[in-house]
Amino acid sequence: MAETESRYREAIARFQSVLDEARAVSNGFMGNDPAMTLATTDAQGRPSLRTVLLKGVDERGFVFYTNLNSRKGRALAARPHAALLFFWPELKRQVNVEGGTEAVSDEESNAYWSSRPRESQLGAWASDQSAPLANREEYEQRLAAVRQRYRDCAVPRPPYWAGFRVVPDRIEFWHEREFRQHERECFWREGEDWRWTLLNP
C-alpha cells in the first residue's frame, strides 16, 4: 500500500474510532446517526451553517441527505464544497473535515430512503424545505394531502431528495488539553498525495 493511501486510511480509521468512543459514552442517546455542523457557501460566497446527521462514512467520504431545493442543496449546486464539524464535549474532542461534494448514487439514496420512517418520507414530500411558510396549518394541510395520496402504497423517493458525499481533502483532529494547550493533528491532500502534521494549539 502506498504511504499516501495509508495516511488517508489512517485518518478515516481514526475518525471511526473516535465516533465509536463517542457512541460508547453517550449510552445510546446519540443513536447511530451523529450530528455534525455543515458549512456551505452560496453563489455569492456567503457562508451558512446548519446541523445535519451523518448517514454514512467510509473511504469514499461522509454522507448526508437533504432536499436538493433546500438552502444547503442550492448552495452545494452553486459551489460543490463543504466543511463539517463534529464536536463531542464529553470526549473533549472535535473533528473538522473539508472537501468537495458529489451526489451519492441513486441506489444509495433509494436504499437509505427505504430505511426512513414512513412519516419522515411523507414529510419530505410535504415540505418545500427552506421556503417561506405562511403558517403551520399550510404545512399540515399539505402533509394530510400527501398521507391521502400514498395511503395504500409505499412512499416513493421524491426526485428532489438525495444524498451528498463530502470527499475529504483535509481532516483535522482536535483534543482539548488544560490551559488551551490542545493537541491537533492534520491530514491533508496535496495533489495526489496525503500528508500529516501536528499543528500548534
Side-chain angles (χ1 to χ4, degrees):
M1 181 190 303
E3 182 178 356
T4 179
E5 183 181 358
S6 176
R7 284 289 192 201
Y8 179 60
R9 290 187 177 183
E10 178 185 350
I12 296 298
R14 179 86 60 83
F15 174 82
Q16 291 174 325
S17 177
V18 175
L19 180 57
D20 288 343
E21 188 178 353
R23 285 177 172 143
V25 301
S26 73
N27 295 317
F29 176 76
M30 186 174 74
N32 291 323
D33 303 325
M36 58 188 183
T37 302
L38 167 68
T40 60
T41 54
D42 66 14
Q44 289 73 45
R46 293 173 298 198
S48 60
L49 297 168
R50 75 287 288 160
T51 300
V52 299
L53 298 179
L54 176 69
K55 291 297 182 177
V57 58
D58 56 26
E59 292 177 11
R60 296 173 297 167
F62 298 72
V63 174
F64 65 95
Y65 291 86
T66 190
N67 184 317
L68 301 179
N69 298 324
S70 66
R71 187 180 184 192
K72 57 186 171 296
R74 296 193 308 271
L76 290 170
R79 296 192 173 198
H81 299 277
L84 305 173
L85 171 63
F86 299 86
F87 177 46
W88 295 292
E90 63 275 17
L91 298 181
K92 299 182 178 181
R93 290 183 182 272
Q94 295 184 60
V95 180
N96 295 272
V97 178
E98 299 172 11
T101 59
E102 62 183 23
V104 307
S105 68
D106 285 341
E107 291 77 12
E108 289 174 277
S109 289
N110 288 337
Y112 174 62
W113 174 262
S114 297
S115 75
R116 300 187 89 202
R118 184 178 177 86
E119 279 297 307
S120 296
Q121 294 175 338
L122 294 170
W125 277 101
S127 175
D128 186 8
Q129 195 175 106
S130 299
L133 183 65
N135 51 62
R136 182 69 184 187
E137 288 71 26
E138 177 186 329
Y139 170 75
E140 295 291 350
Q141 289 172 4
R142 290 202 306 265
L143 183 58
V146 170
R147 285 198 184 103
Q148 179 66 16
R149 185 191 318 162
Y150 296 113
R151 67 186 184 280
D152 297 323
C153 61
V155 182
R157 176 171 67 91
Y160 51 79
W161 190 95
F164 285 98
R165 177 176 288 109
V166 179
V167 181
D169 52 39
R170 186 179 189 278
I171 303 175
E172 180 185 331
F173 296 89
W174 179 96
H175 194 177
E176 181 182 343
R177 295 300 189 204
E178 289 186 332
F179 308 112
R180 307 189 69 80
Q181 297 176 14
H182 313 311
E183 293 181 12
R184 296 173 63 191
E185 296 178 68
C186 184
F187 295 78
W188 81 97
R189 185 194 302 274
E190 190 172 275
E192 295 301 313
D193 297 330
W194 274 85
R195 307 203 182 275
W196 169 89
T197 189
L198 292 174
L199 298 173
N200 276 277

